[in-house]
Amino acid sequence: MDKVIRINVGADGGPTVTEETLGKYAGFGGRALTSAVVCGEVPPTCHPLGPENKLVIAPGLVSGSAASTSGRLSVGCKSPLTGGIKEANAGGQAAQYLGRLGIAAIVIEGEHSGSDLYKITINIDGVKVETDNSLAMLPNYDLCEKLKDVHGDGVAVISIGPAGEMKMSNSTIAVTDPEFRPTRHAGRGGVGAVMGSKGVKAIIVDPGGTKIRKPVNPEKFKAANRTFVEGLKQHGVTGQGLPTYGTNVLTNVLNEAGGYPTYNFKEGRYEGAADLSGETQATLEDERGGAGSSTHGCHRGCGIQCSGTFYDKDGNFVTKQPEYETVWAHGGNCGIRDLDVVAKLDFMDDNYGFDTIEMGVTIGVAMDAGVIEFGDAEAAVRLVEEAGKGTPLGRIIGAGAATAARCFGIERAPVVKGQAMPAYDPRAVKGIGVTYATSTQGADHTAGYAVAPNILKVGGDIDPLSHEGQADISRNLQIATAALDSTGFCLFVAFAILDQQETFDAMVETINGMLGTELTGESVVELGKAVLTMEREFNAAAGFTKEHDRLPSYFSREPLKPHGVVFDVPAEELDSVYAF
Amino acid sequence: MLAIRDRERSRNETMKKAAEMQEQRQGANEEVTTVEFRTETPEMFEFVLQEGFQVSCVDNCSIREFLCLQLELCGDYTEKNIQTIFLNGKSVDGVDTATLRENDILALSAAMPGLVGAAMRKQGFFAKMRHSISHEGEADNDIEEEGKPCLVTVKLFNLLSRDLARDFLRHGLRFPMERFRTLIERRPKSFFSRLNEVIVNNERLRAPMDLAGSLPPSPGTVQLRLLEMEGC
């Protein structure tokens, strides 16, 4: 898997396609590869929607193989939302198919002029770029239906909805799941707008005629992969909790902890949380039944199956099982306690191509500003419709929480580097506040995930019960996460590899067996450090300083109910995160 | 060793007495509707267990004593499966040092995903990330009330609500009537079809589907209790 496909949409006479080997990017995959290309080829001061920006799409190092739970697809560019580097990743089928086609990255570059929309088809015979203006402004579901007529449903589609075409700062890139639904999204940072700025509506990845990638060392790979799968199955979180309840299992726990941001981050506990919880959601899905109702994988070969399928009371498909962050963003954060409404909003986000976190937080900002009332579900639906249609108000909503707060004249914009905070209040859980503040990606709960710092010992041993050292732990997690994001493995393997050394070892050996490498825990750490260093340097050259590594000041000023806590990690400690 | 056993026996008896006394005390003060039922799938009452229900307890006992002596949840299960504990909204790291007092709220959960989920785990690697909402853990020195019966609210989340439904429901638990009625009215037919028998205030319902209609319209409390399946 060493092909890089470059598509220049600004070439004379129409888009050109060139194919090259990884060259200097050899050994990189996923986030490491997208960030390396962006750092190496995109001027940091360029406009994100301008001709100098590039969109890089890369499967992980082991995607396309039989390695379990390895179907993540990374998308990188300079972000229209944050102004810094961005890597957003998604599940779905595309990473596996690209891996099987031997494609390490697709780089879309150049200046798109005119209004033509392109459809790119990639198969075993090569790459074809066609103009297809009949796809213009089609929402993702309608687009997939139309493409199915031509390409069947055995392909994967990477696409943008109207939000991306309108180049909104909140716009995603959708990836189809095993049922050929556009439910998986590289959601954060406005990557859809960059795809839109290149005039690309859809990329069809056809794996026809390809086979699963063969490991360099089949015996080693097979044995390690088996141990890895067993580790996932036997762990309480990956083997039971996530398959049974999905990520929304967190609602009750965060709410009980008083760290569940409610009413646009004004309070830490929501009175309607039980109506939105993973327990309630799983029960509802089980009662309504239907294929893949409460347990489902976002791609074939997933060993965890954390997702599900949400049907209405009459058994009609509504959307995939909304994740915790989505249920929180559209539910508790907005004072809406109806899972059917949340599911409808999730579908609309997927269809238009909006990030659910950014959209939910933006609606919360609009509610806080008095544009609509907290708890007004109909008005929330109307706002998403306006955004999807690009009305004047909708353009503000589609620009994200930071812009909406400026337009509506309120201070309380829960963002870092322009990106909305996810579903964990940093005043209650200060460690995650450190990651929100210092991540290269803007406020992002997955930037410093629970990825085996105890095993990797990135920065030496850490005393878990000491109050000191929030920066140390955030640093370690960000390094380990950057490395895992480069492999193609889903972040959710983190829990099994956190608690089970043998599962971590098996994961590393699975990579080694697949690629013929000799990676160790130390080299994984070095990879993570290299990725973060590149990204940090890009952001610095783009104009970011340590003053951007801060939470909004009201988080230090306004105590969060019920515990009355504020974010009080000193600036000096935040500044020490990148001391490696 | 003998002294420890004596103490445990004494505690156990006190726990049983506490439950009886508490029922009498509460029954005298408020309207209590008893709902007894038989089912092979008590975990379907997860919708009640996650919201919090009242159970009797011995004042000032530790969380471990409460779980082990009253509910017989001892040893491995507590250690391995009850990974996330909140006492009055604060994350607990020590089940022996955190003690329960009247009207406390105890929430129990399995291990959780996500970094924040992992941070909430008792004595977890990321515990420092939530230090400002951690339970301090020191025992309450007010021993005057120690050993007296009290009521605490327990919330069971996720896998624990399924695992422990039978244990808690068999002992009996109290839940606000108004909310119970709302939640029962939302249940689908399949819920009632899994109830073998329902008895409301000592009167057997003709059909379990009649449960919602048989509940009094007034506020108060419902006392839920799981009966053994006949023939067991």
Side-chain angles (χ1 to χ4, degrees):
Chain A
M1 194 177 84
D2 68 345
K3 281 189 282 190
V4 175
I5 306 293
R6 287 185 184 269
I7 299 166
N8 181 357
V9 297
D12 290 339
T16 58
V17 178
T18 54
E19 183 182 315
E20 58 192 38
T21 58
L22 273 167
K24 64 181 178 181
Y25 301 122
F28 284 170
R31 176 175 170 183
L33 184 50
T34 63
S35 288
V37 174
V38 172
C39 291
E41 302 182 17
V42 174
T45 53
C46 76
H47 193 285
L49 303 179
E52 299 90 353
N53 201 5
K54 301 190 181 194
L55 186 75
V56 189
I57 300 171
L61 286 169
V62 294
S63 296
S65 75
S68 175
T69 322
S70 64
R72 301 301 290 185
L73 183 73
S74 288
V75 177
C77 58
K78 178 171 177 174
S79 165
L81 189 73
T82 69
I85 196 163
K86 175 54 61 181
E87 187 268 353
N89 60 64
Q93 289 297 112
Q96 301 288 31
Y97 294 167
L98 285 170
R100 285 165 59 171
L101 285 159
I103 294 171
I106 303 166
V107 181
I108 302 174
E109 53 198 4
E111 180 171 17
H112 174 244
S113 53
S115 58
D116 279 346
L117 269 185
Y118 302 125
K119 178 180 85 169
I120 299 169
T121 308
I122 302 174
N123 59 29
I124 199 165
D125 297 320
V127 180
K128 188 164 71 174
V129 183
E130 300 168 277
T131 299
D132 189 345
N133 292 322
S134 72
L135 306 179
M137 293 305 277
L138 282 182
N140 282 310
Y141 275 85
D142 303 83
L143 173 71
C144 285
E145 278 303 305
K146 191 174 170 81
L147 293 174
K148 188 160 73 173
D149 292 340
V150 180
H151 300 277
D153 60 5
V155 300
V157 173
I158 302 167
S159 64
I160 56 171
E165 284 190 64
M166 291 186 280
K167 304 177 192 68
M168 290 178 167
S169 292
N170 174 9
S171 55
T172 66
I173 292 177
V175 182
T176 49
D177 63 16
E179 286 73 34
F180 200 63
R181 292 170 176 145
T183 60
R184 306 295 146 186
H185 290 247
R188 310 234 63 196
V191 292
V194 179
M195 189 158 154
S197 76
K198 303 298 182 193
V200 177
K201 176 70 176 177
I203 302 170
I204 294 100
V205 186
D206 182 353
T210 65
K211 290 184 176 163
I212 207 157
R213 285 173 67 199
K214 287 188 177 163
V216 171
N217 186 335
E219 293 307 314
K220 186 178 189 175
F221 173 82
K222 198 173 169 185
N225 194 36
R226 188 186 306 122
T227 306
F228 180 57
V229 172
E230 283 167 4
L232 294 179
K233 293 288 179 204
Q234 75 187 30
H235 191 272
V237 173
T238 49
Q240 284 183 285
L242 283 170
T244 307
Y245 298 103
T247 56
N248 193 21
V249 69
L250 283 166
T251 292
N252 271 332
V253 171
L254 263 292
N255 196 58
E256 191 63 23
Y260 185 79
T262 304
Y263 302 119
N264 192 28
F265 286 76
K266 284 210 200 73
E267 298 173 21
R269 196 173 276 165
Y270 179 47
E271 67 276 13
D275 289 336
L276 296 169
S277 73
E279 291 85 334
T280 300
Q281 183 172 274
T283 301
L284 188 68
E285 288 170 350
D286 283 338
E287 286 169 359
R288 291 178 178 179
S293 54
S294 64
T295 304
H296 180 261
C298 77
H299 70 276
R300 291 189 195 100
C302 171
I304 299 175
Q305 306 273 309
C306 72
S307 191
T309 313
F310 197 98
Y311 299 94
D312 68 15
K313 61 183 172 48
D314 299 317
N316 302 307
F317 171 83
V318 178
T319 186
K320 90 282 191 185
Q321 176 176 282
E323 296 211 39
Y324 165 63
E325 286 78 12
T326 302
V327 176
W328 160 78
H330 281 309
N333 186 52
C334 293
I336 294 171
R337 58 196 296 174
D338 185 335
L339 279 171
D340 284 298
V341 171
V342 170
K344 180 176 182 177
L345 289 163
D346 181 72
F347 169 79
M348 294 172 73
D349 287 338
D350 285 355
N351 205 23
Y352 290 129
F354 293 120
D355 173 34
T356 58
I357 296 173
E358 195 69 44
M359 181 54 79
V361 172
T362 306
I363 293 172
V365 165
M367 288 172 162
D368 205 359
V371 177
I372 61 175
E373 295 293 314
F374 278 111
D376 189 339
E378 284 181 22
V381 168
R382 204 166 52 242
L383 282 187
V384 180
E385 274 171 358
E386 293 219 29
K389 292 191 166 86
T391 67
L393 175 59
R395 295 276 182 163
I396 294 171
I397 298 296
T403 298
R406 277 193 293 272
C407 293
F408 299 148
I410 63 167
E411 178 198 6
R412 192 177 286 101
V415 301
V416 177
K417 301 183 179 79
Q419 181 167 287
M421 286 182 197
Y424 315 86
D425 198 293
R427 289 165 286 194
V429 189
K430 296 180 189 189
I432 204 157
V434 175
T435 299
Y436 286 172
T438 61
S439 158
T440 54
Q441 307 290 324
D444 182 351
H445 63 295
T446 65
Y449 218 59
V451 183
N454 49 334
I455 296 172
L456 292 171
K457 292 188 170 42
V458 183
D461 286 314
I462 286 174
D463 174 3
L465 295 180
S466 159
H467 297 180
E468 305 300 319
Q470 301 285 345
D472 295 336
I473 202 160
S474 176
R475 176 193 311 122
N476 294 356
L477 294 174
Q478 290 192 54
I479 289 170
T481 302
L484 190 62
D485 277 344
S486 305
T487 63
F489 284 115
C490 174
L491 268 186
F492 291 169
V493 306
F495 316 110
I497 66 176
L498 172 70
D499 293 328
Q500 300 163 179
Q501 171 89 46
E502 69 278 12
T503 310
F504 174 80
D505 294 339
M507 185 189 75
V508 175
E509 285 306 290
T510 301
I511 299 171
N512 287 334
M514 184 67 214
L515 305 177
T517 50
E518 296 293 336
L519 287 177
T520 61
E522 288 75 27
S523 45
V524 170
V525 170
E526 289 310 311
L527 173 63
K529 285 181 179 175
V531 173
L532 282 186
T533 301
M534 282 189 293
E535 293 175 348
R536 184 83 171 168
E537 286 173 0
F538 182 93
N539 281 356
F544 285 87
T545 68
K546 63 182 183 182
E547 303 309 324
H548 294 93
D549 289 345
R550 303 286 185 266
L551 299 188
S553 59
Y554 71 87
F555 282 91
S556 304
R557 199 178 62 230
E558 296 181 0
L560 180 72
K561 292 179 187 173
H563 295 306
V565 285
V566 296
F567 186 75
D568 54 5
V569 177
E572 300 76 44
E573 192 168 349
L574 297 176
D575 295 339
S576 72
V577 166
Y578 282 87
F580 60 82
Chain B
M1 182 61 90
L2 197 61
I4 294 171
R5 280 199 198 130
D6 286 347
R7 185 168 175 267
E8 280 189 3
R9 195 177 300 122
S10 164
R11 277 273 193 190
N12 221 349
E13 284 165 8
T14 311
M15 287 283 191
K16 285 178 186 165
K17 280 183 191 164
E20 291 164 12
M21 288 169 67
Q22 200 62 52
E23 278 184 27
Q24 289 165 5
R25 196 180 88 179
Q26 290 295 309
N29 294 340
E30 61 178 324
E31 188 175 337
V32 177
T33 302
T34 62
V35 174
E36 297 168 300
F37 56 92
R38 296 181 209 278
T39 178
E40 289 174 347
T41 55
E43 62 275 14
M44 68 183 179
F45 281 87
E46 190 174 37
F47 64 93
V48 165
L49 304 178
Q50 67 166 338
E51 294 206 13
F53 52 87
Q54 284 190 313
V55 291
S56 52
C57 172
V58 171
D59 193 55
N60 218 5
C61 70
S62 71
I63 292 173
R64 189 189 298 279
E65 286 172 325
F66 171 67
L67 294 171
C68 188
L69 298 180
Q70 181 155 330
L71 299 164
E72 295 165 5
L73 296 170
C74 306
D76 266 11
Y77 188 87
T78 311
E79 294 305 321
K80 287 183 183 169
N81 297 66
I82 305 180
Q83 286 280 329
T84 313
I85 302 173
F86 298 98
L87 182 53
N88 299 323
K90 296 203 162 190
S91 294
V92 171
D93 290 299
V95 290
D96 293 308
T97 50
T99 55
L100 298 174
R101 307 303 307 260
E102 175 90 34
N103 296 324
D104 274 353
I105 300 172
L106 176 69
L108 307 173
S109 161
M112 286 292 96
L115 174 60
V116 175
M120 297 301 172
R121 280 196 213 174
K122 67 178 193 279
Q123 297 179 324
F125 189 80
F126 306 109
K128 74 163 68 181
M129 299 182 81
R130 43 79 172 167
H131 70 84
S132 61
I133 57 162
S134 295
H135 192 269
E136 293 300 329
E138 70 270 19
D140 196 324
N141 290 325
D142 174 15
I143 55 170
E144 270 191 28
E145 300 294 315
E146 187 168 323
K148 291 189 176 178
C150 69
L151 277 181
V152 294
T153 296
V154 175
K155 298 180 183 181
L156 295 177
F157 296 150
N158 48 74
L159 293 170
L160 296 190
S161 68
R162 297 190 178 190
D163 285 356
L164 304 181
R166 184 176 298 277
D167 299 273
F168 277 92
L169 285 164
R170 208 177 51 205
H171 279 81
L173 54 87
R174 288 161 179 265
F175 194 76
M177 173 56 86
E178 218 164 336
R179 181 66 177 159
F180 184 69
R181 197 183 307 108
T182 301
L183 292 172
I184 282 294
E185 284 168 355
R186 289 182 192 170
R187 296 302 103 194
K189 283 181 186 170
S190 58
F191 172 84
F192 299 99
S193 69
R194 285 182 284 164
L195 286 171
N196 297 61
E197 182 180 17
V198 180
I199 300 163
V200 177
N201 287 337
N202 298 318
E203 285 195 24
R204 186 176 187 277
L205 299 187
R206 193 172 49 83
M209 276 292 288
D210 298 339
L211 176 56
S214 69
L215 297 171
S218 54
T221 302
V222 61
Q223 168 87 30
L224 275 177
R225 192 186 302 276
L226 171 69
L227 302 175
E228 291 298 328
M229 292 294 288
E230 282 170 344
C232 292

